[in-house]
Amino acid sequence: MLRTLIICSIIAMSSVWAHADLNLTAGHPDEDPEYTYHQRFSTPQSLDSLSQINSALDSFRQLTEISADKISKAQMEKIGHTGWEMQNLGFHNHGKTIQGTLLKQDYLIKKLMYELGRMKSTSGSADPKELSALLTEYQAAEKQFQAFWDSFLISD
């Protein structure tokens, strides 16, 4: 058990320390690298981006249906991703895989951060408010992943 906690602590802290080792340059002149790192590459932003991608795929599916009698089958195949299986099964399953992965990773990171906070608390080096905040974040991530899991279905 102790070995597991030590490994979890190292993994959790490596995510904090990793940022210090990076040379983060701006991906765009109007966006601060710190914003990109902490906001754009966050779980909520990634889930929002995934929602927009799913919306675009829905539009592509609709466009494919509307275009079916205007574009030859050979042209449709050349365009790619226009078949029924991809558009009705693949798009759904691929999006859900990404969503599940993001939520799972967020849950695991929050769990590890909370476990690290508990270890610090046991040694007397943690702020009780910080531990409480970590517990709240962990419970929220767990609830969000569980809700996703409970509603998850693979289309086939």
Side-chain angles (χ1 to χ4, degrees):
M1 177 67 179
L2 181 58
R3 183 182 302 170
T4 302
L5 287 175
I6 291 170
I7 291 169
C8 290
S9 298
I10 291 169
I11 292 169
M13 289 308 297
S14 69
S15 69
V16 174
W17 294 327
H19 177 263
D21 295 337
L22 298 172
N23 178 20
L24 301 177
T25 58
H28 189 277
D30 294 336
E31 186 167 293
D32 181 57
E34 289 294 316
Y35 175 86
T36 305
Y37 184 82
H38 292 291
Q39 300 300 316
R40 183 178 292 273
F41 295 158
S42 68
T43 300
Q45 180 62 46
S46 294
L47 290 169
D48 184 57
S49 292
L50 178 60
S51 177
Q52 297 209 19
I53 290 168
N54 285 332
S55 179
L57 290 173
D58 285 341
S59 295
F60 180 62
R61 183 181 8 256
Q62 291 172 12
L63 183 61
T64 301
E65 289 174 10
I66 291 169
S67 305
D69 60 346
K70 298 173 178 67
I71 299 174
S72 71
K73 186 174 180 177
Q75 286 177 311
M76 283 289 216
E77 288 176 5
K78 188 175 180 180
I79 293 169
H81 307 292
T82 58
W84 185 92
E85 283 188 1
M86 176 56 76
Q87 293 200 349
N88 292 282
L89 305 178
F91 289 175
H92 170 83
N93 291 337
H94 296 318
K96 290 297 182 184
T97 296
I98 294 167
Q99 181 182 6
T101 300
L102 290 168
L103 292 172
K104 176 186 164 190
Q105 288 175 344
D106 189 53
Y107 160 70
L108 290 173
I109 290 168
K110 301 271 173 61
K111 180 179 180 183
L112 291 171
M113 294 303 288
Y114 173 66
E115 289 176 3
L116 178 61
R118 280 188 29 218
M119 287 176 54
K120 285 181 176 180
S121 179
T122 303
S123 71
S125 65
D127 175 11
K129 289 181 183 178
E130 181 181 327
L131 185 60
S132 178
L134 289 171
L135 176 59
T136 300
E137 290 177 9
Y138 164 50
Q139 289 172 333
E142 180 180 45
K143 184 178 179 180
Q144 189 176 23
F145 181 66
Q146 187 66 57
F148 169 81
W149 186 272
D150 292 343
S151 67
F152 176 71
L153 294 172
I154 298 171
S155 293
D156 60 74

